[in-house]
Amino acid sequence: MQKHHWKLERPWKEKRQGQVWVVRDEADTRGYFKFATKEQWYFAGPMIANEIIAAALAKRLGFPVCELEMAIVWGPTGIPQEGIVSLQVDAEEVITWREADPAVKLAPEQHIEQFDLLAQMVVFDAWIANIDRAKGKNLILYRNAPDEPYKWYLIDHGLTLYGSPRKWKRGPWNSPLWEQIWRFYNVPQGLLAAQSDKARLEPMIQKIENLRVSDIDAAVRSAPRRHLQLRDRQFIKRLLLYRQKRLRTMIDRWLAHPGEKECNT
């Protein structure tokens, strides 16, 4: 159910996998409204379901994640669109990781709250087969004063999990490619050193390994039925259970890989 009355402020992005509009509610809360048409299925897939399920899993594991809300927004041509709003946190400064000062990326432990948890993000992204975190646009930093450390949260999981049919052109979901994390995922600039510390990653590996099937079922059920067909629901559950069992091996191989693993832009 829609909790806020969202109004279009301006169209923001138009991509093959859908559109993003900047919206505001009656209290001037800012949000980002995403939707895709049926014609964009090849690139968008069950985008709304991917977002909701990934956010539910992130919360279950203790990661801060943006608040999501299903919504209907009237577009610039007067046609209503159904989609999902990612609410922006209310803070004096809200930036993406990509926009952060170079000093933050050079010594992130000195500038970021819950940094050990942030370093464990690579484990979560590996599990959910995320192909869209590298440039740091989907990691938000915020604070209310320049002398405060940044808090953070994760956004934009539309290409995780099932993603879209285009995602699997790289290879079947259970092929070796998808266990070689570096082939589809680089960590945001400045985080590789921390994310290369096995002791730091171990608690999240164990957390994911210890999730029950009922935990995964609950996350998958959180996606509205009309936005996720039964076959795609079964696909996501199968993917998560398979990667849960293979996660420790995937992370060990990623840690041992000598090639490029960090985004340089």
Side-chain angles (χ1 to χ4, degrees):
M1 181 180 295
Q2 185 164 338
K3 299 177 183 178
H4 302 76
H5 182 61
W6 297 103
K7 289 186 177 181
L8 173 68
E9 180 177 294
R10 59 184 170 87
W12 187 45
K13 292 182 180 180
E14 185 169 356
K15 301 180 178 180
R16 292 179 296 181
Q17 64 264 36
Q19 297 187 48
V20 184
W21 296 345
V22 178
V23 294
R24 291 192 183 269
D25 72 356
E26 61 277 5
D28 205 35
T29 302
R30 190 181 197 186
Y32 293 88
F33 175 71
K34 297 171 64 174
F35 69 95
T37 65
K38 292 181 180 179
E39 291 73 22
Q40 292 173 304
W41 171 261
Y42 177 73
F43 297 100
M47 177 181 65
I48 289 173
N50 292 330
E51 289 275 10
I52 291 172
I53 296 169
L57 293 170
K59 289 179 181 178
R60 179 66 180 77
L61 294 167
F63 288 103
V65 64
C66 68
E67 183 180 347
L68 299 174
E69 181 179 308
M70 295 294 301
I72 295 175
V73 178
W74 293 80
T77 61
I79 299 174
Q81 299 287 349
E82 183 182 26
I84 192 165
V85 176
S86 301
L87 279 68
Q88 180 175 292
V89 68
D90 182 16
E92 288 297 317
E93 182 184 0
V94 183
I95 60 173
T96 66
W97 178 267
R98 188 178 186 179
E99 296 167 327
D101 189 279
V104 174
K105 298 173 186 177
L106 283 172
E109 290 179 82
Q110 299 177 21
H111 299 276
I112 308 294
E113 287 191 4
Q114 291 186 288
F115 184 72
D116 280 347
L117 182 59
L118 177 58
Q120 294 168 5
M121 178 180 66
V122 64
V123 183
F124 176 60
D125 283 338
W127 181 41
I128 62 174
N130 191 358
I131 62 174
D132 192 29
R133 187 89 70 192
K135 294 183 178 180
K137 295 184 292 183
N138 300 337
L139 170 58
I140 302 298
L141 306 179
Y142 67 98
R143 62 187 179 183
N144 285 308
D147 59 343
E148 290 181 354
Y150 284 105
K151 297 180 174 66
W152 57 274
Y153 62 94
L154 308 179
I155 65 166
D156 199 357
H157 297 102
L159 296 178
T160 66
L161 304 169
Y162 182 94
S164 71
R166 181 174 183 261
K167 177 177 180 177
W168 305 109
K169 290 297 181 181
R170 301 169 185 235
W173 66 273
N174 56 354
S175 71
L177 178 154
W178 293 104
E179 294 191 23
Q180 297 166 357
I181 302 166
W182 60 90
R183 295 184 64 182
F184 64 88
Y185 181 88
N186 282 342
V187 303
Q189 187 179 40
L191 291 178
L192 183 60
Q195 295 185 329
S196 297
D197 181 350
K198 177 65 182 296
R200 215 170 210 156
L201 303 186
E202 180 63 26
M204 186 55 60
I205 295 172
Q206 291 186 22
K207 264 190 175 182
I208 294 173
E209 287 178 333
N210 291 335
L211 287 176
R212 298 167 297 182
V213 174
S214 60
D215 296 321
I216 293 172
D217 281 336
V220 175
R221 284 198 306 271
S222 67
R225 289 188 179 184
R226 67 184 182 280
H227 290 289
L228 191 63
Q229 295 185 32
L230 178 60
R231 68 172 185 271
D232 300 331
R233 197 173 294 269
Q234 292 170 336
F235 175 96
I236 290 173
K237 179 179 177 180
R238 186 166 65 245
L239 176 77
L240 287 169
L241 290 172
Y242 178 84
R243 295 183 71 79
Q244 180 188 37
K245 293 177 181 177
R246 300 292 299 159
L247 183 61
R248 181 172 296 275
T249 298
M250 288 191 287
I251 294 298
D252 284 343
R253 289 176 178 173
W254 181 79
L255 289 168
H257 179 67
E260 187 66 42
K261 294 186 288 189
E262 183 179 52
C263 183
N264 292 317
T265 60

